[in-house]
Amino acid sequence: MSTPKPNSILKSVAGLCFLASGSFMLSACNDNTAKQTNAVEQTTAALPVQVSYLDRSMLAPNSQLTVSLVDVSKMDVAATVISEQVIDLAGAPPYKVELEYNKEKIDTAHRYNVRATITNQGELLYTSTTSNSPFADTASSEPLEIIVSKVAQKPNIDLVNTYFKAVSIDGEPVVVNTKEPFIQFNSDNTVHGFLGCNNFHGGYEVSRQMVTFTQLATTQKMCHDNMKQESAMAGVLQAASQWQINGEKLVLQNEAGEQLATFSAVYF
């Protein structure tokens, strides 16, 4: 039997030491990760919330629920938001939310409230109107129940013979330099307006919530400003397939129901 050489023995010992050192470092790393995870778990809590409304209305697609935990201790100043969660809604209420918050931000000497709102494309539909203290009954494991009330809506304005100024195009706010882009549907099924640089006119057809623009034509003025916005406005007219009016707000949508542009009624 051959006797191991001293160098081989040293290498083996060094290898074992390296492995042991690696195992120790890995163990230490795991310990640190576990400690960090435990620290997060110790400072984070979840507040179960259940939101409902009492009428039998069905929400329109793309409605969203916002639930906020706020500090309302200070008078005459805006409440401080501790935590907030926004979820897309589908189906009928109640809607359940697990609102996570940092326990270190909670001061037992302060007053807190949980607020809830339901919106659709920026339009407020429902809101909570009473105080909902989240820490009044710490012994209960039941969700905090919030009843939201329907917000009084303005009557929907007519599509026809109303001057609608453009508010947003492709999700971007409209910039007005000299004259605002607008659209007006006339009672004789003609339409006219301003794109941002050039005027346009043509025809339109409406069937319930569907709309089709026909034979659109524009002036040929050249402008240095607002050409990007003008092009976007023209693209809206080409892609528009649906329309919705909520109060004094007109929304043009594509065939898939995606928002293209928003308009607001103007009275002269």
Side-chain angles (χ1 to χ4, degrees):
M1 178 181 295
S2 61
T3 302
K5 296 180 181 179
N7 287 341
S8 299
I9 295 174
L10 291 175
K11 290 180 180 178
S12 299
V13 172
L16 291 173
C17 290
F18 178 77
L19 290 174
S21 174
S23 298
F24 175 77
M25 292 176 64
L26 181 60
S27 176
C29 181
N30 289 337
D31 288 342
N32 289 335
T33 302
K35 289 179 181 178
Q36 291 174 358
T37 302
N38 291 335
V40 171
E41 290 177 349
Q42 290 173 1
T43 59
T44 302
L47 177 67
V49 179
Q50 180 172 289
V51 180
S52 304
Y53 54 83
L54 300 181
D55 63 88
R56 297 186 177 182
S57 302
M58 293 299 295
L59 295 176
N62 303 318
S63 295
Q64 292 184 315
L65 168 66
T66 301
V67 180
S68 308
L69 171 62
V70 295
D71 185 336
V72 293
S73 303
K74 298 179 181 179
M75 302 295 291
D76 301 325
V77 296
T80 302
V81 178
I82 305 299
S83 178
E84 186 170 85
Q85 186 171 344
V86 181
I87 62 172
D88 296 326
L89 296 181
Y95 307 111
K96 296 183 178 180
V97 177
E98 290 287 332
L99 186 62
E100 292 189 351
Y101 65 94
N102 187 340
K103 292 189 291 185
E104 293 182 347
K105 293 185 177 181
I106 303 302
D107 188 332
T108 55
H110 287 197
R111 294 182 298 109
Y112 296 91
N113 186 29
V114 177
R115 298 173 179 172
T117 59
I118 297 177
T119 58
N120 184 273
Q121 298 182 355
E123 190 81 16
L124 181 62
L125 302 180
Y126 293 85
T127 184
S128 54
T129 57
T130 60
S131 176
N132 301 284
S133 176
F135 309 121
D137 187 4
T138 55
S140 175
S141 60
E142 296 296 319
L144 177 66
E145 293 192 12
I146 300 178
I147 304 296
V148 291
S149 302
K150 179 174 273 190
V151 176
Q153 303 291 324
K154 293 181 180 180
N156 288 347
I157 198 166
D158 290 334
L159 175 70
V160 177
N161 293 331
T162 300
Y163 178 103
F164 289 104
K165 71 174 183 179
V167 175
S168 69
I169 301 174
D170 292 338
E172 297 293 331
V174 168
V175 177
V176 178
N177 289 334
T178 56
K179 181 180 177 181
E180 63 194 11
F182 76 92
I183 187 171
Q184 185 166 357
F185 298 83
N186 304 312
S187 56
D188 60 356
N189 286 99
T190 61
V191 62
H192 72 278
F194 182 66
L195 299 174
C197 174
N198 286 282
N199 296 313
F200 72 90
H201 65 274
Y204 74 94
E205 297 177 0
V206 167
S207 176
R208 295 187 179 181
Q209 300 310 125
M210 308 301 292
V211 62
T212 303
F213 294 101
T214 60
Q215 298 180 336
L216 292 176
T218 69
T219 56
Q220 300 298 316
K221 181 180 177 182
M222 293 298 296
C223 301
H224 295 290
D225 299 326
N226 279 356
M227 289 307 297
K228 181 178 179 181
Q229 185 168 270
E230 163 145 330
S231 177
M233 179 74 167
V236 167
L237 299 179
Q238 292 177 352
S241 179
Q242 302 181 50
W243 65 278
Q244 300 285 340
I245 287 183
N246 294 312
E248 298 178 340
K249 177 182 177 182
L250 167 66
V251 179
L252 291 182
Q253 303 166 317
N254 61 18
E255 190 174 359
E258 298 169 333
Q259 179 175 295
L260 298 173
T262 62
F263 302 81
S264 179
V266 176
Y267 305 96
F268 297 99

